[in-house]
Amino acid sequence: MTEPQTGRVEIDDLVIRFKGKQGPVTALERTRHVLEPGTFTALIGPSGCGKSTLMNAIAGFVTPAEGQVRLDGQTITGPSSDVGVIFQQYALFPWFTALSNVRYGLKQFGLSKREEIDRARAALAEVGLEAHADKYPQQLSGGMKQRVAIARTFAVGPKVLLMDEPFGALDAQTRLIMHDLLLDIWRKHRATVLFVTHDVDEALLLADHVQVMSHAPGRLIRHYPLTQPRPRALSRSGNELLEIREEILGLLHPKSTHADPLI
Ligand SMILES: Nc1ncnc2c1ncn2[C@@H]1O[C@H](COP(=O)(O)OP(=O)(O)O)[C@@H](O)[C@H]1O
Ligand SMILES: [Mg+2]
């Protein structure tokens, strides 16, 4: 018997609007989509198209103007421990050690102090930071801070993990290390991941599904299912991923594929 899988996200005719000076502004056009349990979806689109807005709706941080988001059939009405969020800014408490930052996320469960510390240490070990548990964020590199954020989120056992350009502030080398780390942890925990990135290559290296959004007000315009085994490489010629990359770049920068007579 296989266990019933949880973490199914249904985005059901969702529309998000914000108040603007001249009335309501649509930040997300009507969007309908399902994230299947345990899948890894990368979301890519031009700046301001509504990627963060879509994430914030799934996280329960913004209220839909129309439609809804459901997690395993239940309408999302606010933040919950089932949905973890990781931002580009590390969002760690500077006055807490790495261990205390991870423990903070566990407070809601009413564990004993011993259980809380054990679970937080285990989470830090999973991201390779057991030796740095007592350091403060300012003593850690950018990559290490993001590892603490990942440990804090996975320690809670979320069904869904939303990552908003999580590695955007890291150098290229550190990013590659973080990709391996994230894929390892995701395989173990099997949360449903939605990963926003500006970087087409990052999307192609990581995801099972790449969703491309249109210019603002955004909606999902193209879906690429990726079945290539990981670890993936984009360097080989004749690689199908390279063709997909060209297509996505064409969607994101339509002008660059045509000579512009005004320039
Ligand atoms: N809290 C808010 N209040 C008003 N407008 C917002 C708010 N959040 C986002 N927007 C607007 O919604 C649009 C989509 O923003 P966002 O989701 O942040 O885009 P992205 O993450 O794709 O760059 C933008 O025009 C942005 O200015
Ligand atoms: Mg954003």
Side-chain angles (χ1 to χ4, degrees), residues 48 51-53 164-165 196:
K51 303 181 294 297
S52 298
T53 300
D164 198 350
E165 308 199 32
V196 168

Side-chain angles (χ1 to χ4, degrees), residues 104-126:
Y104 184 85
L106 297 171
K107 292 287 174 211
Q108 55 190 314
F109 297 116
L111 304 171
S112 71
K113 188 176 170 194
R114 187 72 261 158
E115 287 170 321
E116 210 178 87
I117 291 174
D118 287 349
R119 207 159 138 182
R121 280 200 186 280
L124 283 174
E126 262 195 287

Side-chain angles (χ1 to χ4, degrees), residues 3 12 35 58 64 81-82 86 95 133 141 161 173 192 198 200 208 238 253 255 257 259:
E3 271 181 59
D12 186 7
L35 304 174
I58 300 171
S81 60
D82 286 336
I86 295 179
W95 54 85
S141 68
L161 176 60
Q173 184 66 32
T192 306
H198 264 103
V200 181
D208 302 315
H253 310 287
K255 280 188 211 129
T257 58

Side-chain angles (χ1 to χ4, degrees), residues 39-42 163 166-167 175-184 186-187 193 195-197 199-210 226 228-232 234 241:
T39 54
F40 193 127
T41 302
M163 303 183 89
F167 307 141
R175 262 179 173 221
L176 291 179
I177 295 168
M178 296 303 285
H179 290 165
D180 286 345
L181 177 101
L182 174 63
L183 287 176
D184 269 356
W186 166 68
R187 271 192 211 102
V193 173
F195 185 104
V196 168
T197 178
D199 180 344
V200 181
D201 290 2
E202 184 168 57
L204 294 174
L205 289 173
L206 294 178
D208 302 315
H209 300 274
V210 178
L226 304 180
Q228 289 82 353
R230 304 176 181 88
R232 296 179 186 150
L234 293 170
L241 291 172

Side-chain angles (χ1 to χ4, degrees), residues 71-87:
L71 173 58
D72 298 324
Q74 295 279 83
T75 301
I76 289 172
T77 54
S80 97
S81 60
D82 286 336
V83 182
V85 187
I86 295 179
F87 301 101

Side-chain angles (χ1 to χ4, degrees), residues 33-77:
H33 186 59
V34 175
L35 304 174
E36 294 294 349
T39 54
F40 193 127
T41 302
L43 184 61
I44 195 156
S47 189
C49 72
K51 303 181 294 297
S52 298
T53 300
L54 175 58
M55 291 224 151
N56 288 336
I58 300 171
F61 298 149
V62 295
T63 306
E66 292 177 40
Q68 58 187 325
V69 182
R70 282 191 294 264
L71 173 58
D72 298 324
Q74 295 279 83
T75 301
I76 289 172
T77 54

